[in-house]
Amino acid sequence: MKFGHFEALRPVCPRCLANRGAAVPLAPGIVEEATADSVRWGTLVCGDPACAMEYPIVDGAPILVPDLRGWMAANAHLLTMRADIPAAMEGVLGDGFGPDSAFNATRQHLSSYGWDHYGDLDPATPAGEAASVVRCLAAGLDRLGPLPAGPALDLGCGAGRTCFELAARGGGLVLGLDLHWPLLTLARRVMERGEAVFPLRRSGIAYDRRQVEARFDAAGQVDFWIGDALFPPFAPQGFALVAAMNVLDCVASPPALLHAIDRSVAEGGGALLATPFDWSTQATPVEAWLGGHSQRGDDAGRCEAMLARLLTAGAHPQSVGRLHVHGEPLDMPWTVRMHDRAYMQYRTHLVMMRA
């Protein structure tokens, strides 16, 4: 955790924020290992004595989620996963665990996200194939126009490429929040070492390890924390820009995500939202799919219409209060690589908003 980000962003207790809407500042607790500009191992502590929740900083990433023990229990095997397994032995372990194991599910995530975020920097990737996320972000920023000075927040940052792009475009501090520990570890390695290391799936459970040089001039402006996009652990209106790229259909409550973005954007600031509306019950209950759960509803299955109402004050009981759509939404092509012979092609819906 970089001291500069902590001091500038002043995070608050996510449990107090989620349970009673209180923005209680966090204070440094234990510092077990630190450098001149960051904490590698330590804690942050809630300033309310009635809560006094202690949030760990693990390998430089503070874990700031409302249900800390629940997240820790679900991710214990990832937090303690070794990072020094040779590539050949990683394949042997993957064979032994089997294709349906959590180990191989994690490798698939790292393969798809690593390729999209950093594959364009790999000489082995054909030109124009990877980096859909970069092209989508650039299109949104170009149409959003000038923004006030201030930090940027990337909700659901995944492997982190968007954070480096935001830092290069805006010049201010950028913070990436995500709940996926292996993806955040990949992002932090790029930030700290200038290299992206990820398994790239050939087919089945056969993977190659890719090690790609990924150096960004503005990496010093970026940090990555574990955090819930529905409860960003910050006081209101603290960010000049909030981005949420392909996150809306990955959360339990899409309206809650929109309100979290609305709450986080500073007056005069902007927000970018991209989503392919690729709903899954593993992430979002069917009843929460925006217009996409029945062709007999008012929107006849058109997710875009429901989203537009949620982004129009007074148009729906769950509409946001401050943000408004800026210009016409775009449909952007987005390619997800599954393996050498399988690619999914999305048309992601990109919305620009101003506060």
Side-chain angles (χ1 to χ4, degrees), residues 137-232:
L137 180 72
L141 290 173
D142 289 344
R143 287 160 178 79
L144 200 54
L147 295 169
L153 178 64
D154 190 358
L155 297 174
C157 64
R161 178 67 178 273
T162 41
C163 293
F164 300 116
E165 299 295 329
L166 287 171
R169 292 276 298 244
L173 295 181
V174 179
L175 182 69
L177 283 187
D178 206 285
L179 288 170
H180 196 281
W181 181 259
L183 289 176
L184 208 76
T185 299
L186 169 55
R188 294 193 65 85
R189 181 168 185 142
V190 174
M191 179 186 74
E192 295 171 351
R193 305 187 190 182
E195 63 176 6
V197 179
F198 56 93
L200 188 66
R201 188 179 175 204
R202 290 189 198 175
S203 64
I205 52 175
Y207 289 79
D208 296 307
R209 182 175 292 179
R210 303 304 302 163
Q211 185 167 337
V212 180
E213 184 173 347
R215 300 188 183 279
F216 300 95
D217 292 339
Q221 300 295 104
V222 176
D223 204 1
F224 297 100
W225 299 357
I226 289 289
D228 191 334
L230 301 186
F231 300 100

Side-chain angles (χ1 to χ4, degrees), residues 44-353:
L44 295 174
V45 182
C46 176
D48 183 349
C51 173
M53 193 68 187
E54 193 174 40
Y55 298 93
I57 302 169
V58 179
D59 281 334
I63 301 172
L64 302 180
V65 294
D67 182 13
L68 176 64
R69 292 188 179 93
W71 187 91
M72 295 284 285
N75 289 274
H77 64 295
L78 297 174
L79 282 172
T80 57
M81 189 167 63
R82 294 176 60 163
D84 60 346
I85 301 173
M89 288 306 301
E90 189 174 274
V92 172
L93 295 177
D95 293 348
F97 289 133
D100 298 324
S101 64
F103 183 85
N104 278 307
T106 297
R107 287 206 290 172
Q108 176 65 76
H109 276 107
L110 288 169
S111 175
S112 293
Y113 279 85
W115 179 85
D116 184 39
H117 284 230
Y118 303 106
D120 63 313
L121 305 178
D122 188 346
T125 303
E129 278 198 1
S132 295
V133 66
V134 176
R135 292 188 288 272
C136 188
L137 180 72
L141 290 173
D142 289 344
R143 287 160 178 79
L144 200 54
L147 295 169
L153 178 64
D154 190 358
L155 297 174
C157 64
R161 178 67 178 273
T162 41
C163 293
F164 300 116
E165 299 295 329
L166 287 171
R169 292 276 298 244
L173 295 181
V174 179
L175 182 69
L177 283 187
D178 206 285
L179 288 170
H180 196 281
W181 181 259
L183 289 176
L184 208 76
T185 299
L186 169 55
R188 294 193 65 85
R189 181 168 185 142
V190 174
M191 179 186 74
E192 295 171 351
R193 305 187 190 182
E195 63 176 6
V197 179
F198 56 93
L200 188 66
R201 188 179 175 204
R202 290 189 198 175
S203 64
I205 52 175
Y207 289 79
D208 296 307
R209 182 175 292 179
R210 303 304 302 163
Q211 185 167 337
V212 180
E213 184 173 347
R215 300 188 183 279
F216 300 95
D217 292 339
Q221 300 295 104
V222 176
D223 204 1
F224 297 100
W225 299 357
I226 289 289
D228 191 334
L230 301 186
F231 300 100
F234 305 101
Q237 301 186 28
F239 295 91
L241 173 69
V242 177
M245 310 301 288
N246 286 12
V247 180
L248 187 76
D249 53 5
C250 300
V251 297
S253 173
L257 176 65
L258 299 179
H259 280 274
I261 297 171
D262 185 63
R263 177 179 175 273
S264 300
V265 177
E267 200 63 39
L272 294 177
L273 178 77
T275 176
F277 301 111
D278 188 25
W279 305 110
S280 165
T281 53
Q282 293 180 336
T284 313
V286 174
E287 292 74 19
W289 295 4
L290 301 186
H293 58 79
S294 175
Q295 67 270 33
R296 295 175 299 282
D298 293 340
D299 300 312
R302 292 187 295 272
C303 307
E304 301 88 347
M306 179 62 174
L307 177 60
R309 288 205 302 278
L310 289 171
L311 293 175
T312 303
H316 187 275
Q318 293 178 296
S319 295
V320 299
R322 298 171 57 245
L323 286 174
H324 58 273
V325 175
H326 179 77
E328 288 296 319
L330 301 175
D331 277 347
M332 295 289 297
W334 193 305
T335 303
V336 177
R337 184 188 187 281
M338 302 306 294
H339 57 76
D340 279 356
R341 294 183 178 273
Y343 294 76
M344 292 193 297
Q345 186 70 47
Y346 288 108
R347 281 190 306 120
T348 198
H349 187 64
L350 176 63
V351 183
M352 290 68 65
M353 296 167 281

